[in-house]
Amino acid sequence: MSAFLTSMTLLCVLGISIGQLMFKKAALRLPAEAGLHDWIFNGWLISALALYGFTTLLWIWVLRSAPLHLAYPLMGLAFIIVPALGWLFLGEPLHLQTLGGGLLILAGIALTARAA
């Protein structure tokens, strides 16, 4: 894959990762007995859905040129980025098992990239 296509793929991964944090913020804003109004006017939810929509369109554009067997493994980076962002911005714990699993995912991505 070209550097530009790889960059666009990584932008998709980042968009998906940030979207997950936004979904979490949306969930935290919902009251225990959330009604339709609470869902419709949840700014975090609307923003997350918009970001996911944009990211999906970008991903489809990436897949026009990138082989799926090269592009898709990069989505595994979200398993590292999301917990790190959750720790950084939401104060969620970051466990050693999560970091270890992330390293295994990175190894798998590197292995997959070498197969190209």
Side-chain angles (χ1 to χ4, degrees):
M1 283 192 333
S2 70
F4 179 73
L5 204 49
T6 301
S7 297
M8 292 299 100
T9 303
L10 293 174
L11 187 61
C12 287
V13 174
L14 187 59
I16 292 294
S17 299
I18 292 170
Q20 287 299 313
L21 261 62
M22 295 168 76
F23 281 133
K24 176 68 175 190
K25 295 287 281 184
L28 294 173
R29 294 283 173 127
L30 289 172
E33 299 293 326
L36 183 59
H37 180 271
D38 298 308
W39 289 86
I40 292 174
F41 294 103
N42 186 320
W44 285 107
L45 179 59
I46 293 167
S47 299
L49 290 171
L51 179 60
Y52 256 55
F54 172 77
T55 302
T56 298
L57 294 175
L58 181 59
W59 179 245
I60 292 168
W61 181 86
V62 165
L63 291 179
R64 289 180 61 205
S65 302
L68 191 58
H69 76 278
L70 294 178
Y72 190 71
L74 291 175
M75 283 294 175
L77 293 172
F79 287 101
I80 300 163
I81 296 170
V82 171
L85 292 177
W87 171 75
L88 189 61
F89 293 109
L90 301 176
E92 293 193 350
L94 192 56
H95 300 288
L96 190 57
Q97 295 90 336
T98 303
L99 296 174
L103 289 174
L104 290 173
I105 289 169
L106 285 175
I109 291 169
L111 183 63
T112 302
R114 291 181 57 96

